[in-house]
Amino acid sequence: MAIKISHNLGLEIWNNNNFIRSNKTHLNFSGKLGYCLSKFGKTRSFSVMEDLKTSSLLAPEPVKNYSQELDVAVRAVQLACSLCQRVQNSLISKNGDGVQSKDDNSPVTIADWSVQATVSWILSESFGSSNVSIIAEEDIQNLSKAKAGGILKDVVKTVNECLAEAPRFGLKSPKMALGTTEVLEAISRCNSLGGPAGRFWTLDPVDGTLGFVRGDQYAIALALIEDGEVVLGVLGCPNYPMRKEWLNYHHRYHRMISKLTPPTSESWDKGCVLYARRGSGEAWMQPLLHVNKNLVWPNSAKPVRVSTIDNPSLATFCEPVEKANSSHSFTEGLAHSVGLRKQPLRVYSMVKYTAIARGDAEIFMKFSKAGYKEKIWDHAAGVVIIQEAGGVVTDAGGRPLDFSKGIYLEGLDRGVVASAGANLHDKIIEAVDASWDSSSL
Ligand SMILES: Nc1ncnc2c1ncn2[C@@H]1O[C@H](COP(=O)(O)OS(=O)(=O)O)[C@@H](OP(=O)(O)O)[C@H]1O
Ligand SMILES: [Mg+2]
Ligand SMILES: [Mg+2]
Ligand SMILES: [Mg+2]
């Protein structure tokens, strides 16, 4: 029997090289012990717990703070949020005209391609294109088709309008407007394969495109992965209000046909950007930079922390809106057996990760249909933000999500569970085990 520390800094129990399960407490080590792990690779095996205490490996922690990468990433996501807000408003006024279907029937819009081109261009300009490797959701196949000619034109226009605003965000604009070829290049450059070694960015230009086209919640998610670990994450949530109280208001606002008068723009503070750096023990939230409000960079940022609620009867869980993306009936059964009494918060996109990191909800669960493989860009940024805000994220077997295997979260056990704390998390994981066999998943 051996105890290993996983890359997620939780404990794992192994027997003769067979994984048994993760520890129940999901200890969140930091500092010196974290350094040992980073120095010795993804897992470090200790035959007995004593080794942890007596280990002579406790050397000073090296500083690798990714501050430049984080700074550029936050600015790029702020800029992308402003792009999306404009496109969302115009899509809604065009009654959905401008939404394309991909081969798997999922929606894609001008915003998805434009954000991908813009962020790709900014990262390349900031760090040098030969140093930047990106995995992102969109490709140019659909965009290059003859019938998408009008859309391609709109994408080029949107990217250039957006990049013209870059200096307001402390970023460089191109000297001349980008041409169609450059925009297509910026999109198609995001074709890294990822994997266990080296550094790459992962981008979901619009996560929750369905929410986006419905005028509801969506997110822009950018993360940096190094040697298979997510080292920083940024989540832009343009419709997620700075203050939780406005969330309900926002929901009603979008679901009601008759328009309510929104609160005054100052108190509304619609939209936020969350970010975190691995190992810092901190996660931060900025308000959106509203270009038309004449705000200057840098915005104020405040720390966010997960909820302290660990009593299931007081906890709220969130999950995808669409039943096709996660089984509502399975989570309903889980909620019942764990003693979760509140109505689930169903929200599009990685805004769910934001809700947990900010303490607006306590649990996030996603159980996709068998055969669906989760993609790294749908989780990377959210995972590091929740972990640094004090929460726990694992698969349903209690193991860390593995970002080192390419574009998919290979080996994911049943589903993704994120919680504000270890107590709640363990209860959910146990309940999954207890009810899985009788589920139809
Ligand atoms: N069949 C299936 N099962 C599970 N997940 C799927 C599936 N199809 C797509 N996707 C991915 O889900 C992303 C949206 O997840 P959400 O949690 O926002 O779902 S929901 O829109 O609230 O229902 C969505 O991200 P975006 O494409 O960026 O919107 C997809 O990557
Ligand atoms: Mg997505
Ligand atoms: Mg997307
Ligand atoms: Mg998509």
Side-chain angles (χ1 to χ4, degrees):
M1 194 73 81
I3 295 169
K4 287 184 182 184
I5 299 177
S6 70
H7 6 158
N8 210 17
L9 306 185
L11 294 183
E12 294 179 354
I13 302 168
W14 293 72
N15 192 10
N16 290 335
N17 287 332
N18 291 321
F19 173 77
I20 307 295
R21 63 163 298 151
S22 293
N23 67 306
K24 296 214 136 213
T25 49
H26 304 279
L27 298 176
N28 219 341
F29 293 112
S30 60
K32 290 178 176 178
L33 198 49
Y35 168 65
C36 293
L37 298 168
S38 60
K39 189 170 170 193
F40 286 92
K42 295 187 188 334
T43 56
R44 165 117 175 86
S45 181
F46 295 86
S47 55
V48 286
M49 283 299 283
E50 278 313 295
D51 283 359
L52 286 173
K53 292 185 197 144
T54 56
S55 173
S56 60
L57 304 170
L58 301 179
E61 194 175 358
V63 181
K64 198 169 187 187
N65 63 15
Y66 301 97
S67 56
Q68 210 192 339
E69 290 84 352
L70 184 58
D71 183 63
V72 170
V74 172
R75 290 167 194 269
V77 169
Q78 282 271 5
L79 181 61
C81 288
S82 132
L83 183 161
C84 287
Q85 284 185 312
R86 249 178 296 140
V87 175
Q88 193 182 45
N89 289 339
S90 92
L91 267 185
I92 290 165
S93 67
K94 283 194 235 157
N95 254 342
D97 199 21
V99 182
Q100 301 283 299
S101 272
K102 295 200 271 193
D103 293 344
D104 62 357
N105 277 333
S106 64
V108 59
T109 71
I110 291 163
D112 301 64
W113 284 302
S114 301
V115 167
Q116 187 161 319
T118 303
V119 173
S120 162
W121 189 87
I122 285 168
L123 292 178
S124 289
E125 282 298 300
S126 305
F127 302 110
S129 52
S130 57
N131 302 318
V132 172
S133 165
I134 310 174
I135 298 190
E137 182 181 352
E138 307 308 337
D139 58 39
I140 57 167
Q141 268 171 359
N142 292 318
L143 191 54
S144 309
K145 282 180 192 157
K147 66 175 173 37
I151 292 186
L152 177 55
K153 248 192 189 157
D154 285 346
V155 168
V156 174
K157 184 166 168 270
T158 307
V159 169
N160 282 310
E161 279 170 5
C162 175
L163 285 174
E165 269 174 13
R168 270 187 183 274
F169 296 81
L171 296 164
K172 263 199 277 176
S173 285
K175 288 192 186 80
M176 275 167 46
L178 304 187
T180 306
T181 315
E182 288 164 291
V183 169
L184 287 172
E185 244 171 48
I187 297 170
S188 54
R189 208 184 290 141
C190 304
N191 60 355
S192 162
L193 298 175
R199 180 188 275 218
F200 62 91
W201 295 87
T202 181
L203 169 70
D204 193 338
V206 177
D207 180 53
T209 305
L210 208 54
F212 178 78
V213 300
R214 292 177 178 170
D216 208 310
Q217 297 294 331
Y218 64 97
I220 292 120
L222 180 61
L224 180 63
I225 296 178
E226 189 160 61
D227 296 337
E229 308 278 3
V230 184
V231 293
L232 64 87
V234 185
L235 265 182
C237 307
N239 283 340
Y240 196 96
M242 284 288 284
R243 274 179 272 153
K244 181 189 176 184
E245 305 88 76
W246 292 121
L247 185 62
N248 287 337
Y249 182 90
H250 186 79
H251 274 280
R252 265 187 290 137
Y253 180 61
H254 278 283
R255 296 214 167 113
M256 284 177 73
I257 313 278
S258 64
K259 288 251 164 76
L260 294 163
T261 314
T264 58
S265 52
E266 291 84 81
S267 62
W268 177 237
D269 268 349
K270 195 169 73 142
C272 58
V273 173
L274 269 78
Y275 56 89
R277 188 168 45 81
R278 181 180 184 75
S280 65
E282 294 166 344
W284 297 87
M285 175 169 71
Q286 282 184 340
L288 276 200
L289 187 95
H290 292 284
V291 171
N292 52 4
K293 280 213 288 184
N294 247 352
L295 287 180
V296 280
W297 192 273
N299 263 328
S300 53
K302 61 176 192 181
V304 290
R305 216 59 214 153
V306 292
S307 160
T308 52
I309 290 174
D310 72 349
N311 177 349
S313 67
L314 302 175
T316 301
F317 80 91
C318 43
E319 65 180 346
V321 175
E322 296 294 309
K323 284 188 195 138
N325 288 356
S326 180
S327 168
H328 290 180
S329 55
F330 183 63
T331 53
E332 195 185 332
L334 279 185
H336 183 75
S337 63
V338 172
L340 298 167
R341 295 284 169 261
K342 298 198 170 188
Q343 283 300 306
L345 181 62
R346 293 194 177 128
V347 201
Y348 296 102
S349 83
M350 263 189 270
V351 155
K352 294 184 276 293
Y353 278 101
T354 294
I356 306 297
R358 274 180 27 168
D360 296 343
E362 283 71 30
I363 296 160
F364 159 53
M365 300 189 260
K366 181 174 182 189
F367 292 95
S368 309
K369 292 212 174 92
Y372 179 80
K373 283 163 88 175
E374 295 287 345
K375 284 127 183 165
I376 57 170
W377 55 72
D378 280 323
H379 302 278
V383 168
V384 68
I385 290 169
I386 288 191
Q387 286 172 342
E388 297 307 321
V392 186
V393 189
T394 69
D395 66 16
R399 297 182 74 176
L401 309 192
D402 185 353
F403 292 94
S404 74
K405 296 283 186 336
I407 74 165
Y408 296 109
L409 290 175
E410 298 287 357
L412 185 88
D413 183 356
R414 294 168 286 183
V416 177
V417 181
S419 319
N423 260 346
L424 282 175
H425 201 80
D426 290 339
K427 288 191 171 108
I428 301 282
I429 301 288
E430 277 165 23
V432 175
D433 274 344
S435 51
W436 185 258
D437 288 345
S438 55
S439 80
S440 51
L441 282 163

